[in-house]
Amino acid sequence: MHYSSILPDVLKIADAASEKVLSIYMTDFKVEFKADESPITAADVASHRVIVEGLRNLSHDIPVLSEEGAEIPWSERKHWQRFWLIDPIDGTRDFTQRTGEFTVNIALIENGEPILGVVTAPALKEAYWGLKGEGAYKRDRTGRTRRISVVEPGETKRVVASKNHLNEETRAFIDKLGAHELVQAGSSLKFCKIAEGHADIYPRLGPTCEWDTGAAHAVLSAAGGKVETLEGEPLQYGKENVLNPHFVASGDWY
């Protein structure tokens, strides 16, 4: 399959899901909580349905793993060499707090590596996408599209950090970087800040799942960056346990 030929269709699916999400965002929506106490809204469910239907119509032979449909057993998933990995809304807390910094995420995983990724930010009216070997791009709120890439950091490192998950372990890691400034961002936009050259490094020393990172990981990689575990190994996907180890996302300098 030539992935460059389906990328525009994946972007259309993400845009359709974003429109659905935004229509709910503008209403007095209700917030419920899953068993792990993470929030969920009608927008999560609606986005999931739009994306899954769209991807199945686009590539019925490629299985789909979604945060809102994650009950697929390992006995089935372990045979997947290629699959779609989606997070219908990353940053549901940002959604419920109406910060605007939530995203819709679609990734294509092949042999444990995210090779295609689309990230849209419905409320910000922005979109990012990347494909292995073909670069990364951003579409801004005016509709203008430009190629993006990571940059070499200056003397003061720009560290992108989560507003909701800045723990003591992360603070200790950041302090070891020396001179730095914090760049605040929500959801998978933290990766995208590095991909477009607006930040240098994102340490995540706290829990995340594969669907939280896959799409933006693909964008960052296509922009010349990387995502590695604390042991310096590439972050892998398609594991039995969908929880990610701690990782560091950066340009190619770290």
Side-chain angles (χ1 to χ4, degrees):
M1 180 181 292
H2 296 290
Y3 298 129
S4 57
S5 66
I6 67 168
L7 182 53
D9 293 312
V10 179
L11 183 57
K12 287 179 182 177
I13 292 169
D15 283 338
S18 296
E19 289 181 14
K20 193 73 174 178
V21 165
L22 199 56
S23 69
I24 297 172
Y25 186 65
M26 304 303 291
T27 68
D28 186 21
F29 57 83
K30 294 181 180 179
V31 181
E32 299 180 353
F33 293 88
K34 294 185 280 189
D36 63 358
E37 297 187 359
S38 60
I40 184 172
T41 71
D44 296 84
V45 177
S47 178
H48 165 83
R49 288 174 177 165
V50 170
I51 296 171
V52 170
E53 180 180 359
L55 292 177
R56 285 180 175 159
N57 289 334
L58 178 64
S59 55
H60 59 83
D61 59 326
I62 303 178
V64 178
L65 179 65
S66 167
E67 179 180 11
E68 305 312 332
E71 65 280 352
I72 301 171
W74 173 242
S75 59
E76 180 179 344
R77 292 193 293 113
K78 68 180 180 181
H79 300 293
W80 294 356
Q81 292 185 319
R82 181 175 61 178
F83 64 97
W84 294 108
L85 178 64
I86 65 176
D87 191 346
I89 297 181
D90 184 41
T92 300
R93 285 187 175 85
D94 286 288
F95 183 91
T96 60
Q97 294 167 8
R98 298 184 187 275
T99 69
E101 294 192 330
F102 55 90
T103 55
V104 172
N105 301 264
I106 304 176
L108 181 63
I109 309 298
E110 192 170 70
N111 298 319
E113 178 186 2
I115 61 170
L116 178 156
V118 173
V119 176
T120 62
L124 303 180
K125 301 189 184 305
E126 296 177 343
Y128 300 83
W129 59 90
L131 178 61
K132 182 180 180 180
E134 298 197 19
Y137 296 83
K138 178 183 180 180
R139 186 185 67 209
D140 66 22
R141 63 185 307 113
T142 70
R144 183 174 69 97
T145 297
R146 63 180 176 88
R147 187 161 182 162
I148 58 175
S149 64
V150 299
V151 297
E152 284 288 326
E155 291 184 12
T156 300
K157 305 295 187 297
R158 297 166 301 168
V159 185
V160 65
S162 170
K163 297 173 182 176
N164 296 317
H165 305 285
L166 189 57
N167 57 25
E168 288 305 313
E169 195 173 0
T170 304
R171 290 181 187 276
F173 180 98
I174 293 172
D175 288 341
K176 291 179 182 178
L177 293 172
H180 64 269
E181 62 176 292
L182 291 180
V183 178
Q184 294 287 342
S187 66
S188 59
L189 291 171
K190 294 183 281 293
F191 294 83
C192 298
K193 292 286 187 183
I194 303 171
E196 64 178 321
H198 291 171
D200 302 310
I201 189 167
Y202 164 42
R204 182 55 186 258
L205 281 64
T208 57
C209 290
E210 291 186 0
W211 45 71
D212 295 317
T213 59
H217 182 167
V219 172
L220 178 55
S221 294
K226 59 186 179 180
V227 184
E228 296 181 339
T229 68
L230 299 186
E231 292 71 40
E233 298 295 327
L235 190 64
Q236 291 288 302
Y237 296 80
K239 308 182 302 296
E240 179 175 5
N241 187 343
V242 297
L243 286 173
N244 290 322
H246 294 174
F247 63 82
V248 179
S250 68
D252 198 35
W253 60 274
Y254 179 76

